[in-house]
Structures are given as C-alpha cells and as structure tokens.
Amino acid sequence: MINKSKIILVLYLSFCFFACKQNSNPINEGQVTIVSTTGMIADMIKNIVKEKAIVSSLMGPGVDPHLYKATQGDLKLLQAADLIVYNGLHLEGKMTEILENLSNIKNVEAISNHITQDSILSDPQHPSSPDPHIWFDVKLWSSAIDGILPVLINLDTSQKEYFTSNALAYKKTLHNLDAEVKSTLESIPHEQRILITAHDAFKYYGHAYNIEVRGLQGISTLSEFGLKDRVDLVDFIVKRKIHAVFVESSVSQKNIMAIVEGCKQKGHNIIIGDSLFSDAMGAENTPEGSYIGMVRSNTHSIVNGLTNKKE
Ligand SMILES: [Zn+2]
C-alpha cells in the first residue's frame, strides 16, 4: 500500500519549493541560510561562517532530539535553507523521513558522515544500532569540521579563506577544551569514575575521558526500560557504593528519582548531581548555551557530583 502521509509530505515540500523560489524572503535576500537540527551543530557552523550566513537550529534548549517532530514552521525553514545539517545515526529518529525526502531536492548533510566511521560506538544491547551522541568526544566532534568546511565553502566560495581560518581557530579552541576536560576530570579518583544518567548519552564522553557510564534507558529515550533494569541499576549503585546520579536537561527527572528512591529503600543514600546538558545545550546567552560552555558545565557538574561524598 502506498504511504498516504508520505505523498502528502512530498506534495507539501514540492509546493514550498516552488513557492519559495518565486517569493524568497526579502530579509534573507542574498544571505546564505543554514538550518541544523541540534544546537550543537549550529554552534559549530556559526563558529566557521560567523556573520557570513544565517544559521539556525530547530531544536532549542531542553528539547529531546530522539522524540522531536518537525512542525509546519520547521518545514518552511528547512525548505528555505541553502543547506540543512543534521546529526544522523538515528538521533533525529522522528525526522528521518522528512530529511530523506528533502535530500532528494536539497543540500542535506549528516555531520556523522564526516567523522571516522570506526569511531562510531554502538549500543551494547543492540550492536547494530549506532550511538548518535558523538558530540561528547570533543576530539571526535572537532574532526567533523574538516568534512563540513568544504560543504560550507561550496555555499560561498568567495569566503574560502575566511571560513578556513575560522575553522582552524575553532579547532584549536576545541583542542584546548579537550585537554581542559581531561585535566579537570583528573581530580576524580579512579574508583569513583562512574557516571549514571537517565539515558545512555555519555558513552563517547566515558570512552574519551576514561569514565564508566551507565544509563537507565538505552541510547535513545524512545527505548523502553522495565522493572528489571531499574532493580539492576539500583543493585549496581549499592554494590559499587556510588554516591551520585545525574539528571539531564532534556530528559524527564522522573526515572532517575525512582533510582534514588530504590537506593534509599536499600539503605544507600545518593545525591542527585547538577543537571547535565546531554542532547541539548543550555539557554541562549548563557555560558551553557554554547557547545564549549555545555561541555565545560557538564565536566564541572560531574567532578562536583562524583567527588562530594554524602554518606
Ligand atoms: Zn540521547
């Protein structure tokens, strides 16, 4: 059977394509527009193109990309964009069809195609599912700049030198950030290097910075977890004498509260560390509203939570 919603979507996109061609937005006249899905991607691109393009992201602070569905407004933005950049590896699980359809008529890039494919981690429970949270290994994230830079230069070849120089400067800043994360985490004793979060967003972080990570939910907030997962995690926390668990800004706190309660019932009190920015950056115009600020904030929250013992 032909998928009716797919036909409607294609018709809608085609309509927008011609409508936008005939009536391009006068505000953006002559300016290159780039639309990303997540804030982390927009932040990387802004650091390269600076004032030479209009860069926006669909998903703001606190938005969970695993569950996000594009709105009518998003479709208009995507349709009007000169370039669309998304994360890929099924992060934007509910936008797959839209992005696929747009890629037939527009310039659409997955940032995950620009990192070494050998570096992509998989879900231990489902080895065929890639882990999309690649931005938490700062070095790996930075390596995507080399791939995305030629795409940006293609949009505006007159800015080749400017974009290249900005990209180099940003890569250097990220190199320093990577070193800063490593040295900041050194204060956590080896046996306390266990990060427990609501969903498994921090595997790349753990892999890059030598921290064991466990999430109550799998690599996507779409995945289900049962009573057994909860009991297992509580047992793990009690057995390993873990003192802190973490909530995430883009995931409901309800599940992690159930873990805290489960531990309490076993006579083991744990604290809830500061909220981590997992799949979305913080509010605009705050330090956490940038990729660098987000990584820095998480690192400090992790150090504070894992080194402050509360018996
Ligand atoms: Zn996630």
Side-chain angles (χ1 to χ4, degrees):
M1 203 176 98
I2 299 167
N3 186 331
K4 198 175 161 192
S5 64
K6 198 169 179 176
I7 294 173
I8 292 169
L9 180 67
V10 170
L11 285 174
Y12 177 79
L13 292 174
S14 306
F15 167 76
C16 286
F17 181 72
F18 291 110
C20 293
K21 280 255 160 193
Q22 287 165 11
N23 185 25
S24 54
N25 188 343
I27 299 166
N28 297 343
E29 196 75 68
Q31 275 230 268
V32 169
T33 59
I34 303 167
V35 177
S36 73
T37 50
T38 70
M40 292 77 82
I41 299 171
D43 193 52
M44 177 196 280
I45 294 171
K46 277 180 193 169
N47 273 285
I48 300 171
V49 301
K50 307 247 174 170
E51 77 287 358
K52 301 294 181 192
I54 296 168
V55 185
S56 57
S57 62
L58 301 182
M59 305 172 195
V63 174
D64 180 348
H66 302 285
L67 306 178
Y68 189 82
K69 288 179 185 166
T71 63
Q72 291 289 319
D74 291 342
L75 287 176
K76 281 184 191 163
L77 266 180
L78 289 166
Q79 194 52 50
D82 297 298
L83 170 68
I84 297 163
V85 188
Y86 68 108
N87 189 82
L89 304 175
H90 310 298
L91 179 75
E92 301 93 343
K94 307 258 181 190
M95 287 184 63
T96 310
E97 196 177 335
I98 288 171
L99 291 166
E100 263 173 24
N101 284 323
L102 282 165
S103 69
N104 293 327
I105 51 170
K106 295 194 75 75
N107 197 357
V108 179
E109 287 281 334
I111 203 118
S112 54
N113 283 341
H114 296 292
I115 59 168
T116 315
Q117 298 302 290
D118 291 350
S119 311
I120 296 171
L121 302 176
S122 58
D123 181 351
Q125 284 162 349
H126 307 281
S128 59
S129 301
D131 183 336
H133 305 90
I134 52 175
W135 55 93
F136 279 128
D137 176 341
V138 176
K139 215 170 161 184
L140 183 65
W141 188 241
S142 173
S143 73
I145 293 173
D146 293 335
I148 212 70
L149 176 63
V151 177
L152 299 172
I153 291 172
N154 264 342
L155 285 180
D156 188 353
T157 48
S158 69
Q159 299 301 329
K160 184 178 178 182
E161 275 180 34
Y162 183 60
F163 289 175
T164 305
S165 139
N166 291 342
L168 276 173
Y170 190 54
K171 276 186 80 171
K172 201 170 171 207
T173 308
L174 294 185
H175 177 78
N176 293 339
L177 177 69
D178 184 59
E180 182 190 318
V181 172
K182 279 180 186 149
S183 72
T184 308
L185 292 171
E186 270 172 19
S187 60
I188 309 173
H190 181 73
E191 67 279 6
Q192 283 165 240
R193 287 177 164 249
I194 308 169
L195 177 64
I196 295 183
T197 55
H199 93 296
D200 243 340
F202 290 89
K203 281 219 181 320
Y204 288 92
Y205 189 90
H207 188 256
Y209 306 112
N210 193 23
I211 292 187
E212 188 178 344
V213 295
R214 287 280 292 254
L216 179 58
Q217 273 178 293
I219 56 167
S220 169
T221 51
L222 280 169
S223 67
E224 295 289 331
F225 66 95
L227 186 62
K228 189 180 178 304
D229 299 311
R230 214 156 68 185
V231 170
D232 286 351
L233 190 55
V234 167
D235 286 346
F236 177 79
I237 292 169
V238 174
K239 193 177 158 204
R240 298 283 294 268
K241 298 188 174 65
I242 293 163
H243 294 278
V245 291
F246 295 85
V247 289
E248 299 165 46
S249 62
S250 54
V251 182
S252 160
Q253 299 194 5
K254 194 180 79 203
N255 302 334
I256 220 75
M257 293 307 291
I259 295 297
V260 173
E261 192 49 42
C263 289
K264 202 174 169 186
Q265 282 170 10
K266 293 209 161 195
H268 180 78
N269 286 330
I270 49 174
I271 60 162
I272 297 182
D274 295 335
S275 182
L276 300 180
F277 298 95
S278 54
D279 291 2
M281 304 192 303
E284 234 179 289
N285 301 320
T286 66
E288 298 78 28
S290 74
Y291 171 74
I292 291 173
M294 166 199 206
V295 173
R296 204 170 260 159
S297 166
N298 284 344
T299 302
H300 285 288
S301 298
I302 290 166
V303 169
N304 289 340
L306 298 185
T307 54
N308 285 343
K309 286 192 173 184
K310 276 197 177 176
E311 299 285 353

